Amino acid sequence: MNDTILILGACGQIGTELTQKLRALYGRDNVIASDIREGNQEMMSSGPFEIIDATSKERIFEVVEKYKVTQVYLMVAMLSATAEKHPLKGWDLNMTSLLAVLELAREKHIQKVYWPSSMASFGPTSPKINTPQQTIMEPSTVYGISKVAGEHWCNYYHEKYGVDVRSIRYPGIISWKTLPGGGTTDYAVDIYFDAIKNGTYECFLSENTRLPMMYMDDAINATIQIMQADADKIKTRTSYNLAAISFTPKEIAAEIKKHIPEFEISYKPDFRQAIADSWPQIIDDSHARKDWGWQHKFDLTSMTNDIVTSLKALEKQKLEEV
């Protein structure tokens, strides 16, 4: 593998784990991590790191030239809940960073681009069950609006200029290694931490709010898989639906109780409930499975077992270090 990869937004929830996986695959010196500020110790010590404002095309270009970058993973985004509080900042960050990278690809400075979309690109009028690859998309959040616009910009640059840009519509992503960054599905991460630490959790969504979710390991594998696929297998240049599991807060709490019987959950829906209600409950990702062989590995049971085991081991390690 002769590619040199630049990850923009490497310190985010997905970017942190994606960086380590790509460095393991391509070699530490061939994966340049970057963000607006420095990352954790593992990030900084495991390979090259550059401070980059992803809205600055000039700064991205400097780093692309310095390292002879061939691929860019643009993981920068202001997520749904945060962007609702800062709509213009959310729009500016999400769109300016994408257009900067697409322009560099159009100018032939980059050979291949990855940009993540989201199930937030769907809206209240989209079908909620088995949401198809192509359907009505009328999002009601700034984050969703920016993702729909971004999808069409990706397709435009591919059709007009031949840019090899690839994209996935992520469901909610769950990880125990990295804290979430202001999304509406964050409860499904927070619930595990609070269950281990306190034995209780107050959920900001109602108990029967069903949303599409995915364990981080599956999300990382899908991201790398679509980028490694032959170009002729990528039939969709807006963004591919991606799915693994769908569950409610009540169902995830029941699964946690199998490991922590004393765990208790309460519900206090806030402004994020309206966002969640506008999103799909189950997504049809048959196009990704057919075109480039996507398959998920983790269901709710195996994911919960992995997370609870890992967090308990982490807590034990902390106690031993005290």
Side-chain angles (χ1 to χ4, degrees):
M1 296 180 182
N2 297 318
D3 286 301
T4 303
I5 295 168
L6 171 63
I7 305 172
L8 297 166
C11 298
Q13 185 192 18
I14 299 175
T16 299
E17 296 188 43
L18 177 64
T19 299
Q20 299 310 321
K21 186 68 179 283
L22 286 171
R23 282 177 171 168
L25 284 172
Y26 289 85
R28 68 186 309 276
D29 293 330
N30 295 320
V31 179
I32 297 87
S34 73
D35 215 307
I36 196 76
R37 60 185 64 84
E38 290 189 350
N40 60 26
Q41 185 178 355
E42 183 183 26
M43 175 73 69
M44 302 304 293
S45 63
S46 63
F49 187 93
E50 295 280 345
I51 299 289
I52 297 179
D53 176 352
T55 63
S56 170
K57 181 189 170 190
E58 293 75 18
R59 176 61 183 142
I60 299 170
F61 177 64
E62 283 178 14
V63 175
V64 165
E65 285 292 284
K66 177 180 177 181
Y67 293 94
K68 306 303 177 193
V69 168
T70 58
Q71 297 184 17
V72 171
Y73 286 69
L74 174 54
M75 309 308 293
V76 172
M78 187 178 291
L79 301 181
S80 58
T82 307
E84 287 307 288
K85 296 176 182 176
H86 309 284
L88 296 184
K89 286 183 180 178
W91 173 261
D92 182 53
L93 174 62
N94 295 353
M95 297 313 303
T96 305
S97 58
L98 173 59
L99 289 168
V101 171
L102 288 175
E103 274 293 285
L104 289 172
R106 180 184 68 81
E107 295 164 359
K108 308 299 184 188
H109 301 297
I110 304 163
Q111 295 174 15
K112 196 185 293 186
V113 175
Y114 176 79
W115 175 79
S117 188
S118 164
M119 66 175 176
S121 58
F122 300 112
T125 55
S126 304
K128 293 285 190 289
I129 307 296
N130 294 325
T131 310
Q133 175 64 46
Q134 291 179 303
T135 188
I136 297 167
M137 301 178 79
E138 297 178 329
S140 54
T141 65
V142 172
Y143 181 58
I145 293 167
S146 72
K147 289 303 181 185
V148 169
E151 286 188 20
H152 288 287
W153 275 119
C154 288
N155 189 62
Y156 180 85
Y157 270 77
H158 174 72
E159 293 291 331
K160 185 91 172 177
Y161 307 117
V163 170
D164 188 355
V165 56
R166 305 171 184 207
S167 180
I168 286 170
R169 292 173 186 148
Y170 288 126
I173 306 296
I174 303 169
S175 169
W176 61 270
K177 293 180 183 177
T178 312
L179 292 174
T184 300
T185 56
D186 286 358
Y187 91 85
V189 179
D190 295 335
I191 192 171
Y192 288 106
F193 284 91
D194 282 18
I196 297 288
K197 192 173 182 181
N198 307 317
T200 61
Y201 179 67
E202 183 178 88
C203 186
F204 55 74
L205 298 179
S206 63
E207 64 177 2
N208 293 316
T209 304
R210 183 173 301 281
L211 289 170
M213 298 283 191
M214 179 176 290
Y215 196 30
M216 180 66 82
D217 292 40
D218 278 334
I220 298 297
N221 287 336
T223 303
I224 295 171
Q225 187 181 351
I226 192 174
M227 283 294 274
Q228 291 183 341
D230 292 339
D232 60 0
K233 290 184 178 179
I234 309 302
K235 311 292 186 188
T236 298
R237 294 291 181 161
T238 48
S239 190
Y240 276 96
N241 278 4
L242 199 73
I245 45 181
S246 290
F247 55 78
T248 66
K250 186 177 181 180
E251 289 169 350
I252 194 174
E255 202 63 44
I256 290 171
K257 273 180 170 287
K258 294 178 184 177
H259 299 267
I260 309 169
E262 67 276 14
F263 174 65
E264 295 291 337
I265 187 169
S266 58
Y267 301 93
K268 190 178 180 182
D270 64 13
F271 73 99
R272 287 168 283 197
Q273 184 66 51
I275 298 174
D277 289 342
S278 74
W279 288 351
Q281 296 179 19
I282 301 170
I283 288 174
D284 175 3
D285 64 351
S286 56
H287 285 250
R289 294 176 188 270
K290 174 170 59 73
D291 289 358
W292 44 275
W294 157 244
Q295 288 183 315
H296 70 282
K297 294 179 181 176
F298 286 88
D299 60 13
L300 179 56
T301 299
S302 57
M303 178 184 73
T304 299
N305 181 63
D306 197 60
I307 293 175
V308 171
T309 303
S310 300
L311 286 178
K312 282 183 173 178
L314 201 63
E315 283 295 304
K316 184 180 179 183
Q317 182 184 339
K318 287 179 181 176
L319 288 171
E320 289 172 350
E321 289 174 353
V322 172

